[in-house]
Every structure is written in structure tokens, then in C-alpha cells.
Amino acid sequence: MIADKNCSGCGLCSLACPKKAIKMIEDQKGFYYPKINISSCVDCKLCTKLCSKIENKNTVKEAYILRHINETIFSRSQSGGAF
């Protein structure tokens, strides 16, 4: 089974799998996706806990929003005048 195409191809799931049931396979376009060997998988879910593309509902997400008060600096910057 090949994972969802939303996968970034980082390979963390493959590295974390205690049973080595996940291999990174290159597709026709040269992108890597995990291929899961279901018969080796013990359903520990470590791969899904570590995946940045699968939303874990138990984690708190934080974001900071800011904008420079000087209008000239703000209008010239791509980051809102923050760095």
C-alpha cells in the first residue's frame, strides 16, 4: 500500500517503524512515498504520531501574528516587517 499523495516524502515514518514495515519508494516523477508492508505492520501507529502531514488532534498549535507599526517598513517587506 502506498501512502496518501499529501505525503512530503521526508521518510520519518520509515525510520521510526520498529518492524521496518515501511520503505520509501520513488514514483514516476522522482518523488518518494512510503510503501507499507501490511503483513509486517504491528499497528503501533508510531508512523502516524510522527507524521507532520497527519493532524494530531491532541496537540496544541501556536501561531504569532505581527506587523511593523511603521507603514513604510511594512509596505517594503514580505514578512510584515518582522524577522
Side-chain angles (χ1 to χ4, degrees), residues 6-70:
N6 289 327
C7 173
S8 67
C10 73
L12 185 57
C13 57
S14 176
L15 294 171
C17 181
K19 296 296 182 180
K20 305 296 179 212
I22 305 172
K23 303 283 183 230
M24 298 303 289
I25 305 297
E26 186 176 4
D27 71 2
Q28 302 86 352
K29 295 180 181 179
F31 296 102
Y32 285 88
Y33 293 100
K35 182 175 181 184
I36 304 164
N37 181 344
I38 300 299
S39 63
S40 299
C41 179
V42 293
D43 203 29
C44 68
K45 302 206 185 304
L46 186 56
C47 55
T48 59
K49 289 176 186 170
L50 296 175
C51 182
S52 64
K53 296 295 181 178
I54 298 174
E55 186 177 334
N56 186 343
K57 305 240 186 271
N58 295 328
T59 60
V60 176
K61 295 183 179 182
E62 290 185 25
Y64 296 94
I65 300 171
L66 47 112
R67 180 178 181 219
H68 202 285
I69 59 173
N70 183 307

